[in-house]
Amino acid sequence: MTTPAENQRASGRRGRMLRAVLALVVVAALLAAGLVGTITALNRTVYSAGGFVEQYLDALARGDTVGALALGGVMPTAAELAAAELTGDLPETLLRASVLSGLSNIELKSDTPSNAAGDDTHRVVFEFDLNGTASSMAFTIERAGTFAGVFNAWTFAVSPLAMLQVSVLHERTFTVNGLTLDTRAHAAADAPATFSTSAAYLAFAPNRYTFEHSSAMLTAEKTSVRVTASGATAVEIDALPNEEMIVQVQSELNKFLDECATQTVLQPTSCPWGITIDDRIEGAPVWSITGYPAVELTAGERSFEMVATAGQAHIVVEVQSLFDGDVSTRDEDVPFTMGLSVVLQPSGALAIQLH
């Protein structure tokens, strides 16, 4: 038989055990509640639709192109490319950190879920500074299940990348954000040479792209484009003759006319001027150029053109009148016009065709 004291001690042990169990239950409940609260909070922030887009924008701001491209749905689908009337094999040359610039002060403006039944997409809008200019961009995001069993997973329903459709007029190369590219780098080996060229490139958005061209003979003014939308963006670069090209064409034209002036005939062969004299010529005619046509070039369909432009030659020649035999000196200006076409060859040399 147990004594009253032993019964009392046993009862105390059972009470302590019960309190310990209750304490463990309370702690477990609190931990579970805290975990659920933490998961809920993370799904509303880090693992929300806005948080997913912020990962992309933050990666671009840091120049982490690998991280940005690793996010789901960043690369455009074949259907998206087809909608932009582009092929499925666009160059990824611009998907590099060196062309990124000036993305800062990133802030979520809105996160709007679709109201359509069964549609788990969100329209997320972010505001930011793009090279000091306040800008914004909208993204379309959709649920992609969960990971770790509890956290929301997302993907871009529409690729955030831009497709830059670059047309280079009268040239084939251009520079964008310091990177020089050749539009024909991805053309077929047997593609015919053309006066103007074009190519399409995948590019990050949002971003500012500055396009230009500068070479020995051609120059294009800088064109800056702030790309704050996915899909196709058209860019045109107009490469035009610079002063060096004008000077060289003028020099070649002047040289040609000077050579024409060495011919001691009234009608210099293959030259743009001549004169008819009905009287008898005494001695050889002497030609000189008193006004060279001023070269101005404009772009045509296949070459740069100088339209028919006025020039002036001068002749000095002794003549004898067939009527009375008097001898006199013809000393006069002979106006003429001429034009030309110029093609800049791949070697950099100029091919000039006079007409």
Side-chain angles (χ1 to χ4, degrees), residues 157-338:
V158 176
S159 169
L161 296 186
M163 304 154 199
L164 300 182
Q165 297 174 298
V166 182
S167 296
V168 186
L169 305 184
H170 328 126
E171 242 295 356
R172 56 187 291 175
T173 64
F174 67 97
T175 299
V176 52
N177 289 10
L179 179 65
T180 299
L181 301 176
D182 188 329
T183 55
R184 292 175 63 85
H186 300 275
D190 58 350
T194 57
F195 190 40
S196 298
T197 59
S198 62
Y201 304 84
L202 290 176
F204 286 113
N207 195 39
R208 186 185 71 173
Y209 297 94
T210 299
F211 298 85
E212 57 187 312
H213 174 87
S214 181
S215 58
M217 297 293 171
L218 301 175
T219 303
E221 293 185 2
K222 289 185 178 181
T223 300
S224 288
V225 179
R226 289 190 305 114
V227 180
T228 55
S230 60
T233 295
V235 180
E236 186 174 89
I237 303 164
D238 193 4
L240 296 172
N242 57 25
E243 184 177 356
E244 178 64 28
M245 183 172 177
I246 297 295
V247 167
Q248 185 166 329
V249 173
Q250 185 75 64
S251 176
E252 293 296 322
L253 173 60
N254 293 358
K255 185 186 302 183
F256 166 76
L257 294 176
D258 289 340
E259 290 176 355
C260 279
T262 64
Q263 298 186 40
T264 55
V265 294
L266 296 180
Q267 301 283 342
T269 304
S270 301
C271 296
W273 74 82
I275 189 172
T276 300
I277 298 178
D278 294 331
D279 292 326
R280 180 182 290 112
I281 303 301
E282 298 288 337
V286 177
W287 288 101
S288 61
I289 307 300
T290 56
Y292 295 95
V295 173
E296 293 185 7
L297 298 175
T298 57
E301 292 186 3
R302 298 183 178 276
S303 59
F304 294 108
E305 302 288 335
M306 183 184 86
V307 298
T309 303
Q312 188 167 269
H314 188 85
I315 189 172
V316 176
V317 63
E318 297 291 327
V319 297
Q320 183 180 35
S321 173
L322 296 177
F323 176 71
D324 57 15
D326 287 347
V327 176
S328 62
T329 300
R330 294 282 296 266
D331 186 345
E332 61 187 75
D333 291 329
V334 178
F336 65 90
T337 60
M338 68 175 305

Side-chain angles (χ1 to χ4, degrees), residues 143-164:
R143 281 288 301 275
T146 60
F147 67 94
V150 291
F151 296 113
N152 294 334
W154 300 88
T155 187
F156 287 102
V158 176
S159 169
L161 296 186
M163 304 154 199
L164 300 182

Side-chain angles (χ1 to χ4, degrees), residues 102 104-105 126-137 226 228:
S104 60
N105 298 327
F126 267 85
E127 294 180 335
F128 41 81
D129 286 341
L130 194 54
N131 293 95
T133 302
S135 308
S136 66
M137 182 171 173
R226 289 190 305 114
T228 55

Side-chain angles (χ1 to χ4, degrees), residues 75-78 81-82 85-93 163 185-187 199-202:
M75 296 299 290
T77 64
L81 292 173
E85 299 182 349
L86 298 170
T87 65
D89 188 24
L90 294 188
E92 299 178 14
T93 314
M163 304 154 199
H186 300 275
Y201 304 84
L202 290 176

